Amino acid sequence: MKKSLIALAVLGAFAGAASAQSSVTIYGFIDQALAKPIGTEDKQVVDGAQFGGGSRLGFRGVEDLGGGYKATFGIEHRLLADTGTQASTTTFWQGYSTVGLVTPFGAVNLGRQYTPAFLMIQTQIDPFGGETVAQGRDTGMRFGGITKVRVSDSVRYDLSVGGFNLGASIAESAPNNGGVSNDKPFSIAANYAAGPVWVGIGYENPAAEDDKVWNIGGRYNFGFMTAALGYGKGTTAAGLDAKGWIIGATVPVGAFDIKAQYSKNDVDVVGETKKVGLGVHYNFSKRTKIYADVGKVGGSATDALDHKTGYDVGLKHSF
């Protein structure tokens, strides 16, 4: 009996050690807003994050394998909380679904995942992070329909050393490109952060015959304000030259964040698109905030568009 109790105690100790080296995190956010999106006169209850892909529920885990090696996984679902439906009608794990291995020489992930150009540069400049009606990311950094947010059937490598981050990914062509060409979607990006300075650069070839784009940008935290500036230039799948830029600022005032951005792009034949966004966000805590934003578009590419101004008033809770 005593031997059995001792054996159980030893097994329990090993189980405790193993579980201490593994973890699974549940995370996400729900974002709901009263809004009038640009391009319509309808007032709606909407998922405030739908401008950036929708509210989300995710699971990520890590197991320490020892010697600087770790096994990781991540899956993220996107949903429209105002209706309870999926953000995508075809993909349940719309955000990403990956399994990977972290080594002393970098991390390798396989599956459906963000492109480095999107995650490490394109979405880093916009003060609104690509969300709400005021966002400028898709005007100033992701113009002309050139870029991808994420790709399926991909392999991605990441390396982080002393504030420097590098990412590169390549994916199969057919699932991501509709079989348009045999080229494989490729993306590479790097950024660097030191104190108040952040800078980044990225390149992407989404795999059509002619499309490609590069982006460059930076942020500087002055203390009373964080200013951001980004620029991009590329070629659309139709072979049209395209370029864009965005300037933005975030001013913290107590629990408030005052945000502003102005962005513009110019695509041959299509014309110019300009957008201004303004917002006031109040942080109840690190996880909960309310916000009010307004966005307005203009330029020759929007001449046929009615209702060029939109707004939203919303509540976002992260967990």
Side-chain angles (χ1 to χ4, degrees), residues 58-116:
F59 303 83
R60 54 175 174 251
V62 60
E63 180 186 15
D64 191 341
L65 303 175
Y69 291 82
K70 297 178 182 180
T72 63
F73 83 90
I75 49 178
E76 186 178 281
H77 176 59
R78 296 297 179 88
L79 66 146
L80 302 178
D82 56 317
T83 61
T85 58
Q86 293 182 200
S88 168
T89 58
T90 58
T91 308
F92 187 82
W93 300 113
Q94 171 70 6
Y96 64 90
S97 52
T98 66
V99 64
L101 185 66
V102 177
T103 80
F105 316 102
V108 177
N109 281 276
L110 296 90
R112 174 177 173 80
Q113 50 198 323
Y114 289 103
T115 67

Side-chain angles (χ1 to χ4, degrees), residues 125 127 195-198 218-229 247-254 256-261:
I125 306 300
V197 177
W198 181 97
R219 300 191 306 263
Y220 190 89
N221 187 345
F222 293 92
F224 70 93
M225 176 186 72
T226 297
L229 178 65
I247 184 171
T250 301
V251 180
V253 181
F256 288 92
D257 287 322
I258 301 171
K259 303 186 178 190
Q261 68 83 19

Side-chain angles (χ1 to χ4, degrees), residues 185-218:
F186 173 76
S187 176
I188 186 169
N191 61 42
Y192 176 76
V197 177
W198 181 97
V199 292
I201 187 169
Y203 173 81
E204 183 174 357
N205 182 343
E209 186 172 350
D210 295 310
D211 59 348
K212 57 184 179 293
V213 66
W214 65 267
N215 300 98
I216 188 169

Side-chain angles (χ1 to χ4, degrees), residues 14-309:
F14 277 111
S19 63
Q21 296 179 20
S22 302
S23 66
V24 175
T25 301
I26 302 173
Y27 71 95
F29 66 77
I30 301 295
D31 189 342
Q32 292 287 272
L34 302 174
K36 187 194 83 65
I38 293 172
T40 179
E41 61 181 359
D42 296 336
K43 285 75 173 177
Q44 310 168 16
V45 175
V46 301
D47 192 296
Q50 71 183 35
F51 305 102
S55 296
R56 58 209 61 177
L57 171 64
F59 303 83
R60 54 175 174 251
V62 60
E63 180 186 15
D64 191 341
L65 303 175
Y69 291 82
K70 297 178 182 180
T72 63
F73 83 90
I75 49 178
E76 186 178 281
H77 176 59
R78 296 297 179 88
L79 66 146
L80 302 178
D82 56 317
T83 61
T85 58
Q86 293 182 200
S88 168
T89 58
T90 58
T91 308
F92 187 82
W93 300 113
Q94 171 70 6
Y96 64 90
S97 52
T98 66
V99 64
L101 185 66
V102 177
T103 80
F105 316 102
V108 177
N109 281 276
L110 296 90
R112 174 177 173 80
Q113 50 198 323
Y114 289 103
T115 67
F118 172 81
L119 196 63
M120 297 175 66
I121 175 67
Q122 293 166 6
T123 199
Q124 295 292 331
I125 306 300
D126 182 6
F128 297 92
E131 296 180 355
T132 83
V133 72
Q135 65 97 359
R137 178 187 65 194
D138 295 344
T139 304
M141 300 292 280
R142 304 188 64 244
F143 43 84
I146 304 171
T147 63
K148 291 183 178 293
V149 174
R150 55 186 74 82
V151 287
S152 301
D153 300 311
S154 66
V155 179
R156 175 169 167 169
Y157 171 79
D158 287 272
L159 176 67
S160 296
V161 179
F164 173 79
N165 303 287
L166 171 70
S169 70
I170 190 167
E172 292 182 13
S173 57
N176 306 289
N177 188 36
V180 174
S181 77
N182 292 323
D183 292 337
K184 301 181 186 301
F186 173 76
S187 176
I188 186 169
N191 61 42
Y192 176 76
V197 177
W198 181 97
V199 292
I201 187 169
Y203 173 81
E204 183 174 357
N205 182 343
E209 186 172 350
D210 295 310
D211 59 348
K212 57 184 179 293
V213 66
W214 65 267
N215 300 98
I216 188 169
R219 300 191 306 263
Y220 190 89
N221 187 345
F222 293 92
F224 70 93
M225 176 186 72
T226 297
L229 178 65
Y231 177 80
K233 185 176 177 62
T235 307
T236 72
L240 303 176
D241 290 336
K243 58 185 177 182
W245 58 270
I246 177 174
I247 184 171
T250 301
V251 180
V253 181
F256 288 92
D257 287 322
I258 301 171
K259 303 186 178 190
Q261 68 83 19
Y262 179 78
S263 50
K264 177 181 176 181
N265 68 62
D266 187 357
V267 182
D268 285 352
V269 180
V270 178
E272 290 185 339
T273 300
K274 306 173 184 178
K275 185 174 182 182
V276 62
L278 297 171
V280 177
H281 295 209
Y282 180 79
N283 302 291
F284 288 107
S285 68
K286 291 183 178 180
R287 298 191 303 170
T288 303
K289 71 176 180 179
I290 56 174
Y291 59 86
D293 304 286
V294 61
K296 182 178 177 61
V297 298
S300 58
T302 68
D303 286 346
L305 180 68
D306 293 327
H307 313 296
K308 297 181 181 181
T309 300

